Amino acid sequence: MSKKAKIIIIGAGFGGIKLTKSFYKKPVDVLLIDRNNYHNFQPLMYQVATGGLEPGSIAYPVRRIFRKYDNVNFRMAEVQSVDIHQNQIISSIGRIHYDYLVIASGSENKYFNFESVKDKLLTLKSLPEALKMRNTIFRNLERALANNRTEPIEEIMNIAIVGGGPAGIELAGALSEMRKHVLPKEFPELPLSKMSVNLYQSGPKLLAGMSEEASQKCLEYLQEMGVNVFLNTRVKEYDEHTITMDDGSKFTTDTVIWSAGVKGSPLKGFPDYCIDKGNRILVDEFNKVKGTDNIFAIGDVSAHESLDNPKGLPMLAPVAQQQGEHLGKNILRTIDNKPMEPFEYHNKGVMATIGRNRAVVDLPSIKFQGRFAWFVWMFVHIFSLVGFRDKFVTFIDWVESYFNYDQPLGMILKTAECEQDDEQKLNKKETVEEEK
Amino acid sequence: MSKKAKIIIIGAGFGGIKLTKSFYKKPVDVLLIDRNNYHNFQPLMYQVATGGLEPGSIAYPVRRIFRKYDNVNFRMAEVQSVDIHQNQIISSIGRIHYDYLVIASGSENKYFNFESVKDKLLTLKSLPEALKMRNTIFRNLERALANNRTEPIEEIMNIAIVGGGPAGIELAGALSEMRKHVLPKEFPELPLSKMSVNLYQSGPKLLAGMSEEASQKCLEYLQEMGVNVFLNTRVKEYDEHTITMDDGSKFTTDTVIWSAGVKGSPLKGFPDYCIDKGNRILVDEFNKVKGTDNIFAIGDVSAHESLDNPKGLPMLAPVAQQQGEHLGKNILRTIDNKPMEPFEYHNKGVMATIGRNRAVVDLPSIKFQGRFAWFVWMFVHIFSLVGFRDKFVTFIDWVESYFNYDQPLGMILKTAECEQDDEQKLNKKETVEEEK
């Protein structure tokens, strides 16, 4: 029995999962590592953040996905760095040897000039972040009703969204629908006309990666829905109460959602010339890391120097999936002493949803917007989710909320580990309620 | 327009919800307060803790329940105490006046001799506690596989459950089913024969509140399922690695689930003679608090001195619900200057489930156990859940897991607020994996 090649894959996102699947019943030993024990469907994260979906509807345990893969092991661990000379990764569960290493560790938030206040911002890169956003938004609405609040009610209810990419516009749309359809029923005492949802975009158009038609229609939809959109507007600073733009204008809010940028999330241990300005790992046309023989990177964490686009490929799930599938074949070819084949990205289209019956779709051949686009968006997203149960439950949630104009959820779920913190945060000052 | 009576209800559990509902369209002003913005279905909490159900399946936003109640307001707040002389409660959102006050604040864990190690125990009184239990159990299984673990694998996998009441036996059953049906598929590398589930009961029988037949059958079921049940065994101490019983026997485990007792969770501000040994508020046959005219207590937090049972009524959802419904009528009678009617508890039966096809049911007229009892249990619980969606999703989860012998969930969901803590807890020591 000859020794099988040991492949370590870091990251169970779209790229890592596809890649791992490509080794089904192949004569290799795969170790898949992620810091969480679940895969999550990032494109619907904004639904968790706004109370439309439960975390379980967009996440699925990794071990369950690979139950039938005898040659795949999974470990939940943090990987700190790679020792490229000894072919080992260094992780929270020790040093582990590899023959081939694939880094599919994705991206993380990039804060630019807001780095120093990042703890005050709400973000959307993980389920815990999405749940924190949901808790904060709903807790603020409860707080707005407290007799002893000291801030102006606008500050507590207002929401600023920084960044007009897909996440920013989807959140803006979902929040404005919530304000219109859910809050009047559940918070009838709140003066909702005083609640503003403002979206700030540094560039001249929303959805910069999409067509002109899509950007324009997206802007119209958001304005119809009552979102205040500010184009060509950079945020300058935030002091926890007021966000200031570089044109000097100000907006008073306790809630700033940051969706203005991401950067690669690589491991330590690579020479500087392997990492680009976006903190991504530079790879060649085979997704091989510059200057190495047996290390690859796919998905958001990778940047193709060789491909035409000067910024590399877009950081999208289909890119990662196509790279994962392609790399699986290439690694097997290498093991068989065959030459690798270069990766090519096939753009099957990009879409985004702004709200009920309002979506924008750019296919290579045709672009369309509106209700049909929304049905296409919904269909594609539901059927992309991992696992039958998730699809079905998601489908029920959505069918129900389509007819009810409702969000099924909205619970502020504290965690036992954090309860003390939360209690300290609660304003315990006593005041006397004024009798009406 | 005469001023309407203002009723404050503290606690949105089974009692508080029923009571609030009884004021639908009645000429009173109701303020319902809870520390959470959701009502939860406590009898199924163990399913969340063991990954069988999502939090959203057993919880429902309070505001949604009372959307159509124009005379009901809800506030999410902590109530610290009551000023019975000024008719005011003192809370995290200020002092608030009442004409009638109803305390329905439920019960909390009672730790007896384990008070000093309570932070090391897992409990089941709230959704955050249930999620912490789920995270801990699944995280331990991941940890058992780490190359650099230092504890014996038995210590990490073993589970001790202290207390043989409904929560204890339901957890023991669910965990032993997980060990048998789920873990072999998802953790094929784990030596599951080394994983013990031990249940410790201080008294001579399990399910002390139920019939002899139910207790006996429950013991048989648990033993069939591989749970080690220890009757007449008191736990003496726990040092985070080993739990010691008062007969000197020991059990090595990182995971101790505490379901050995609860106590009332009253407010501060009552004279000592109003509080019984179980920390419950003493009430008369009208659920009125001793020595007051306009303060009532219902559910787990209340103790009837006058009723026959020397310990008061059992701390069960149906008791709280019946008291809530009855008290609503009594308060309206008082407002109409009519005499109140004494409360009587109608026992409609008690049931518990040990596992798939294994439940015990004590009805007033008949007692039965086994598969039919399990279907009765399931039917009653599904249809008791609040709101259509929850019922339906729960139903799908269960139908699916019935046919698959599976748990739909099992995600270790960290919270953004806690991530730093979690990372500190991760063992970061480096060791070299041994090559096989």
Side-chain angles (χ1 to χ4, degrees):
Chain A
M1 205 182 83
S2 74
K3 196 161 169 289
K4 287 183 202 161
K6 178 154 186 185
I7 303 167
I8 293 185
I9 299 166
I10 299 172
F14 287 109
I17 293 286
K18 269 280 183 205
L19 174 62
T20 307
K21 282 186 171 175
S22 73
F23 295 123
Y24 183 57
K25 295 203 171 177
K26 302 293 180 192
V28 292
D29 259 337
V30 179
L31 179 64
L32 175 62
I33 301 180
D34 197 285
R35 70 175 55 141
N36 293 309
N37 72 341
Y38 52 86
H39 166 71
N40 61 55
F41 193 80
Q42 180 75 32
L44 291 177
M45 200 71 92
Y46 81 96
Q47 286 273 354
V48 174
T50 51
L53 288 175
E54 272 272 50
S57 301
I58 68 155
Y60 202 76
V62 176
R63 292 185 178 281
R64 193 143 313 166
I65 301 172
F66 297 107
R67 268 187 183 177
K68 291 182 179 154
Y69 289 65
D70 291 337
N71 61 336
V72 172
N73 284 312
F74 172 75
R75 291 289 183 277
M76 179 173 142
E78 293 276 348
V79 181
Q80 285 111 16
S81 61
V82 55
D83 183 339
I84 61 178
H85 306 294
Q86 295 199 54
N87 288 339
Q88 289 180 334
I89 57 157
I90 294 145
S91 78
S92 60
I93 55 169
R95 271 181 181 257
I96 311 173
H97 169 83
Y98 59 82
D99 296 316
Y100 297 93
L101 174 64
V102 183
I103 301 163
S105 47
S107 54
E108 58 192 69
N109 295 303
K110 185 175 180 181
Y111 296 99
F112 301 101
N113 56 329
F114 271 47
E115 183 71 33
S116 63
V117 289
K118 68 180 180 187
D119 293 342
K120 314 298 173 200
L121 308 174
L122 297 173
T123 51
L124 200 63
K125 282 297 289 178
S126 68
L127 273 178
E129 288 170 52
L131 286 176
K132 185 181 171 183
M133 192 183 295
R134 174 161 106 184
N135 285 352
T136 305
I137 290 168
F138 284 95
R139 200 179 280 160
N140 281 348
L141 294 169
E142 296 289 346
R143 204 158 56 90
L145 290 171
N147 306 311
N148 57 352
R149 66 174 163 74
T150 48
E151 305 110 303
I153 199 161
E154 291 88 346
E155 179 178 326
I156 303 177
M157 293 196 299
N158 284 346
I159 297 176
I161 299 165
V162 184
I169 63 109
E170 281 165 357
L171 280 169
L175 290 169
S176 81
E177 289 197 326
M178 183 173 90
R179 180 181 53 180
K180 184 168 176 194
H181 299 295
V182 178
L183 300 188
K185 285 186 277 188
E186 302 207 346
F187 292 83
E189 306 139 279
L190 275 182
L192 293 170
S193 60
K194 295 185 179 175
M195 177 182 183
S196 301
V197 178
N198 285 13
L199 175 67
Y200 299 97
Q201 165 70 335
S202 59
K205 58 179 265 193
L206 299 172
L207 296 173
M210 292 186 69
S211 66
E212 203 53 56
E213 295 97 303
S215 299
Q216 191 50 43
K217 203 73 191 174
C218 172
L219 177 62
E220 275 172 39
Y221 285 152
L222 285 174
Q223 287 172 338
E224 275 169 31
M225 294 162 76
V227 176
N228 307 312
V229 181
F230 299 84
L231 298 176
N232 296 308
T233 306
R234 282 180 190 278
V235 295
K236 196 170 134 197
E237 55 187 37
Y238 181 52
D239 69 358
E240 292 183 53
H241 303 286
T242 303
I243 185 162
T244 306
M245 272 50 75
D246 64 359
D247 61 4
S249 62
K250 290 174 187 291
F251 181 54
T252 302
T253 179
D254 282 355
T255 311
V256 177
I257 294 171
W258 186 261
S259 62
V262 291
K263 60 181 180 183
S265 187
L267 307 187
K268 287 178 190 158
F270 290 108
D272 285 347
Y273 65 80
C274 293
I275 307 291
D276 82 348
K277 276 186 283 183
N279 211 28
R280 300 195 292 177
I281 303 175
L282 289 166
V283 296
D284 64 15
E285 68 270 36
F286 309 110
N287 282 94
K288 192 148 62 73
V289 178
K290 238 181 141 166
T292 72
D293 285 327
N294 57 348
I295 305 181
F296 302 85
I298 57 174
D300 285 5
V301 78
S302 70
H304 278 271
E305 262 192 321
S306 49
L307 293 187
D308 278 351
N309 187 336
K311 286 185 181 174
L313 294 167
M315 292 159 94
L316 293 173
V319 176
Q321 289 176 318
Q322 290 178 29
Q323 288 179 333
E325 208 162 350
H326 184 86
L327 179 59
K329 286 180 197 149
N330 266 345
I331 289 179
L332 292 170
R333 292 176 72 87
T334 305
I335 291 171
D336 287 347
N337 291 315
K338 292 181 195 158
M340 294 196 288
E341 290 179 355
F343 173 73
E344 274 175 69
Y345 172 54
H346 300 282
N347 178 12
K348 290 178 184 163
V350 188
M351 53 183 84
T353 185
I354 297 96
R356 186 184 156 89
N357 294 332
R358 291 179 171 110
V360 293
V361 175
D362 286 358
L363 299 186
S365 52
I366 185 175
K367 301 176 200 342
F368 52 99
Q369 301 89 31
R371 180 183 293 209
F372 179 65
W374 187 72
F375 278 109
V376 169
W377 179 88
M378 187 115 131
F379 183 84
V380 167
H381 281 78
I382 288 177
F383 285 89
S384 305
L385 283 177
V386 188
F388 165 80
R389 177 190 167 273
D390 291 352
K391 274 176 223 162
F392 197 52
V393 172
T394 309
F395 184 70
I396 292 168
D397 279 352
W398 271 343
V399 169
E400 204 200 350
S401 63
Y402 185 83
F403 289 107
N404 290 350
Y405 273 101
D406 234 7
Q407 292 152 304
L409 310 162
M411 280 147 347
I412 300 168
L413 204 54
K414 302 169 198 165
T415 60
E417 290 104 320
C418 300
E419 256 177 42
Q420 286 184 316
D421 282 3
D422 283 344
E423 277 175 30
Q424 283 162 10
K425 278 178 216 155
L426 271 179
N427 186 348
K428 297 212 172 173
K429 217 179 56 169
E430 290 177 24
T431 57
V432 181
E433 186 189 41
E434 289 178 31
E435 293 293 314
K436 284 159 240 171
Chain B
M1 203 182 86
S2 74
K3 196 160 169 290
K4 287 183 201 161
K6 178 154 186 185
I7 304 168
I8 293 184
I9 300 167
I10 300 172
F14 288 109
I17 294 286
K18 270 279 181 203
L19 173 62
T20 307
K21 284 187 170 175
S22 74
F23 294 123
Y24 183 57
K25 296 202 170 178
K26 301 294 180 190
V28 293
D29 258 338
V30 179
L31 178 64
L32 175 62
I33 301 179
D34 196 287
R35 70 174 55 141
N36 293 310
N37 73 340
Y38 53 85
H39 166 70
N40 63 53
F41 194 80
Q42 179 73 34
L44 292 177
M45 200 70 92
Y46 81 96
Q47 286 271 354
V48 173
T50 53
L53 289 176
E54 272 271 51
S57 301
I58 68 155
Y60 203 76
V62 176
R63 292 185 178 281
R64 193 142 313 165
I65 301 172
F66 297 107
R67 270 187 182 178
K68 293 183 177 153
Y69 290 65
D70 292 336
N71 60 337
V72 172
N73 284 309
F74 172 75
R75 289 292 182 278
M76 180 173 142
E78 293 274 349
V79 180
Q80 285 111 15
S81 61
V82 55
D83 182 340
I84 60 178
H85 306 296
Q86 293 199 56
N87 288 339
Q88 288 180 334
I89 57 157
I90 294 146
S91 78
S92 60
I93 55 168
R95 272 180 181 259
I96 310 172
H97 169 82
Y98 59 82
D99 297 316
Y100 297 92
L101 174 65
V102 183
I103 301 162
S105 48
S107 54
E108 58 192 71
N109 295 302
K110 185 176 179 180
Y111 296 99
F112 301 102
N113 55 329
F114 271 47
E115 183 71 33
S116 62
V117 290
K118 68 180 179 186
D119 293 342
K120 314 298 173 198
L121 308 174
L122 297 173
T123 52
L124 199 65
K125 282 298 287 180
S126 68
L127 273 177
E129 289 170 49
L131 286 175
K132 185 181 172 184
M133 191 183 295
R134 176 161 104 184
N135 284 352
T136 304
I137 290 169
F138 285 95
R139 198 178 282 160
N140 280 348
L141 294 169
E142 295 289 346
R143 202 159 56 91
L145 291 171
N147 305 312
N148 57 353
R149 68 174 161 75
T150 48
E151 306 110 302
I153 199 162
E154 292 88 345
E155 180 179 326
I156 302 177
M157 294 197 297
N158 284 344
I159 297 176
I161 299 165
V162 184
I169 63 108
E170 282 165 355
L171 280 169
L175 290 169
S176 82
E177 288 196 327
M178 181 173 90
R179 181 180 54 181
K180 184 168 177 193
H181 299 295
V182 178
L183 300 188
K185 284 184 280 189
E186 302 207 347
F187 292 83
E189 307 139 278
L190 275 183
L192 293 170
S193 60
K194 293 186 180 174
M195 177 183 184
S196 301
V197 178
N198 286 11
L199 176 66
Y200 299 97
Q201 164 71 333
S202 58
K205 60 179 263 192
L206 299 172
L207 296 174
M210 292 187 69
S211 66
E212 202 54 56
E213 295 96 305
S215 299
Q216 190 51 42
K217 204 73 192 175
C218 173
L219 178 61
E220 276 173 38
Y221 286 151
L222 285 174
Q223 288 172 337
E224 275 169 30
M225 293 163 75
V227 176
N228 306 313
V229 181
F230 298 85
L231 299 176
N232 296 309
T233 305
R234 281 179 190 278
V235 295
K236 196 171 136 198
E237 56 188 36
Y238 181 52
D239 69 0
E240 293 184 50
H241 303 286
T242 304
I243 186 164
T244 307
M245 272 50 76
D246 65 358
D247 62 6
S249 61
K250 289 174 188 294
F251 182 54
T252 302
T253 180
D254 281 355
T255 312
V256 177
I257 293 172
W258 187 261
S259 63
V262 290
K263 60 181 179 184
S265 187
L267 308 186
K268 286 177 192 160
F270 290 108
D272 286 347
Y273 65 80
C274 293
I275 308 291
D276 82 348
K277 276 185 283 183
N279 210 29
R280 301 196 291 176
I281 302 174
L282 289 166
V283 295
D284 65 15
E285 68 270 36
F286 309 110
N287 281 94
K288 192 149 61 72
V289 179
K290 237 180 143 168
T292 72
D293 284 327
N294 57 347
I295 306 181
F296 302 85
I298 58 175
D300 285 6
V301 76
S302 70
H304 277 272
E305 258 192 322
S306 49
L307 293 187
D308 278 352
N309 187 335
K311 286 185 182 176
L313 294 167
M315 291 159 95
L316 293 172
V319 175
Q321 289 177 317
Q322 290 179 29
Q323 288 179 335
E325 209 162 350
H326 184 86
L327 179 59
K329 287 180 197 149
N330 265 345
I331 290 179
L332 292 170
R333 293 176 72 86
T334 305
I335 291 171
D336 287 345
N337 291 313
K338 291 182 194 158
M340 294 197 288
E341 289 179 355
F343 172 74
E344 274 175 67
Y345 172 54
H346 299 282
N347 177 14
K348 290 178 184 164
V350 188
M351 53 184 84
T353 185
I354 297 95
R356 189 184 153 88
N357 294 332
R358 292 179 171 110
V360 293
V361 176
D362 286 358
L363 300 185
S365 51
I366 186 174
K367 302 175 199 342
F368 53 99
Q369 302 89 32
R371 179 182 295 209
F372 179 65
W374 187 72
F375 278 109
V376 169
W377 178 88
M378 187 115 131
F379 184 85
V380 166
H381 281 79
I382 288 177
F383 286 87
S384 304
L385 283 177
V386 189
F388 166 80
R389 176 190 169 272
D390 292 352
K391 273 177 223 162
F392 198 53
V393 172
T394 309
F395 183 70
I396 292 168
D397 280 351
W398 269 343
V399 169
E400 203 201 349
S401 64
Y402 185 82
F403 288 107
N404 291 348
Y405 274 101
D406 234 6
Q407 292 152 304
L409 310 161
M411 282 150 342
I412 300 169
L413 204 54
K414 302 169 198 163
T415 60
E417 290 104 323
C418 300
E419 255 177 43
Q420 285 185 316
D421 283 3
D422 282 347
E423 277 175 29
Q424 284 163 9
K425 278 179 216 154
L426 272 178
N427 186 348
K428 299 212 172 176
K429 217 178 56 171
E430 291 177 23
T431 57
V432 181
E433 187 189 42
E434 290 178 29
E435 294 292 315
K436 280 159 243 170

